[in-house]
Amino acid sequence: MLKAEFESRAGKLREKAEEESDPEQASQLYRRSGSLYRKAAEKTENDEKASALNQLAEQLDREAEKALNRSDHPGQGRSLSYFSSPPDVDFSDVGGMEELKARLRDRVITQLQDTGFREDLGVSPTNGVLLYGPPGTGKTMVSKALAGEIGFHWAEVDTADLVSKYVGESAEQVQDLFREAVRVQPCVIFLDEIDALASPRGSGVKTDSEQQRVNQFLQSLDRIQGDDVLVIAATNLIEEVDSAFRRTGRFDVEIRVGLPDVDARRKILKVHLSGREHRVSGNEIQRLAERTDGFSGSDLEAVVEHAAQEAHIDSIEDDLLQPITYEHLSSAASQLASQDGGDAG
Ligand SMILES: Nc1ncnc2c1ncn2[C@@H]1O[C@H](COP(=O)(O)OP(=O)(O)O)[C@@H](O)[C@H]1O
Ligand SMILES: [Mg+2]
């Protein structure tokens, strides 16, 4: 999002906060407004302007505190059970995956923005995205980064957990999730392992209760159409995702998230090495990226983590900080490849 958009969204939230009578709600609105002003400050090149925006953000944090204290009945305010504040990660924390990020920018982020053209063009914001691909490829991470990027609240929900609540009287709890979403919007609901919703496994025949769960779930999704609530569903098993679910049109953006190519692997390694003491050159990172074909983002994270632990052991032995070296990384990669039956080596 552009700086001006963060600022204008922040301004609107602040106005809403000032009109809000529920202290808990008002406090949240102030906080969200503050966090968007902070984002605007980050995007501002003019130092003076950035510092003014940051001051404004601090003032709004104080307003958020004050609003809570204004509450006559502390404890009666509605607290959040599913959502947390906008994540403090954004696309810059996601290594590589440029095409994926570009598609999310064009198909989702841009279409959610009030650009002044949207209505004339009849563009309705995207409410549903389906991400699929092997585990550890960053589906959760990129979704969270998207929420952080645009300053949306974030809820991460395990689908199996959610559907188990449809059984018996607790369907109410699922409604709560969607109700809370409407209340805290703008927000992202991340539904992990959506294949657990209703699996056509085995006979391919769904039981009545499975069918009922799917229907109830789809009704909940209907409730958020037109709101600033983005549902991102993820799965490692796209072929197990109920076709009726895919046909609803509720998930109009489907994106395959694949294993990282060499360039993405290099960037992912860089992301995970940053902030750690290391003596690994750009050429060495490139070399490691080249020999880790088939590694996922989470495998590469594990390589760096393991290398850091080895450097830690060396440091203790020498009683002197030993930075991470190419050798540490290389042996960690070999170990991981042999464990997983991978093909790096
Ligand atoms: N593109 C990436 N850049 C940086 N780290 C990544 C990337 N992809 C995956 N990771 C690392 O792997 C971990 C697991 O990824 P995750 O998003 O949970 O994968 P998935 O949801 O696809 O199973 C993340 O917490 C992150 O540390
Ligand atoms: Mg995940």
Side-chain angles (χ1 to χ4, degrees), residues 89-305:
V89 288
D90 59 34
F91 279 171
S92 65
D93 298 293
V94 180
M97 310 177 85
E98 304 304 340
E99 219 183 291
L100 171 67
K101 287 189 262 185
R103 278 197 71 189
L104 290 172
R105 271 215 182 86
D106 289 351
R107 291 293 138 252
V108 183
I109 297 181
T110 303
Q111 311 307 330
L112 282 168
Q113 286 166 12
D114 258 325
T115 52
F117 304 119
R118 204 169 70 172
E119 284 182 5
D120 287 335
L121 293 171
V123 169
S124 46
T126 296
N127 281 117
V129 176
L130 179 63
L131 299 180
Y132 63 98
T137 47
K139 295 182 293 297
T140 309
M141 189 184 191
V142 81
S143 304
K144 196 166 183 176
L146 185 148
E149 188 80 16
I150 55 180
F152 277 33
H153 273 64
W154 168 255
E156 193 173 332
V157 182
D158 183 44
T159 308
D161 236 35
L162 194 68
V163 292
S164 72
K165 289 179 179 157
Y166 273 119
V167 179
E169 294 150 49
S170 37
E172 188 57 21
Q173 290 185 41
V174 181
Q175 314 294 328
D176 281 350
L177 165 68
F178 289 92
R179 240 180 261 135
E180 192 174 302
V182 171
R183 181 155 63 84
V184 306
Q185 65 176 303
C187 63
V188 173
I189 303 177
F190 181 75
L191 294 174
D192 211 359
E193 305 194 37
I194 194 71
D195 45 280
L197 187 58
S199 69
R201 252 176 288 247
S203 64
V205 178
K206 273 197 296 288
T207 63
D208 284 353
S209 69
E210 268 180 338
Q211 188 57 57
Q212 205 183 342
R213 276 193 326 233
V214 177
N215 292 343
Q216 277 179 320
F217 178 80
L218 292 174
Q219 277 165 23
S220 305
L221 282 180
D222 280 334
R223 189 168 304 162
I224 53 141
Q225 298 302 306
D227 281 313
D228 274 344
V229 177
L230 174 65
V231 180
I232 306 182
T235 180
N236 307 329
L237 305 160
I238 188 69
E239 65 283 1
E240 305 243 332
V241 175
D242 193 68
S243 59
F245 172 83
R246 292 174 76 187
R247 258 188 276 113
T248 57
R250 291 287 167 260
F251 291 81
D252 44 2
V253 179
E254 273 193 20
I255 308 179
R256 202 183 87 83
V257 184
L259 287 170
D261 62 13
V262 61
D263 192 48
R265 293 198 297 276
R266 183 173 54 79
K267 289 176 182 157
I268 294 171
L269 286 165
K270 269 175 103 168
V271 164
H272 288 286
L273 275 170
S274 83
R276 305 185 195 245
E277 273 311 318
H278 72 81
R279 206 185 292 133
V280 190
S281 70
N283 280 342
E284 288 171 328
I285 294 181
Q286 175 68 27
R287 216 190 312 161
L288 194 69
E290 280 165 13
R291 50 166 285 200
T292 44
D293 190 26
F295 279 52
S296 68
S298 78
D299 293 334
L300 294 168
E301 181 189 19
V303 166
V304 175
E305 187 61 42

Side-chain angles (χ1 to χ4, degrees), residues 62-76:
R62 285 193 296 272
E63 290 294 336
E65 271 318 303
K66 269 200 259 164
L68 276 185
N69 294 336
R70 238 180 274 137
S71 163
D72 292 333
H73 308 283
Q76 270 192 6

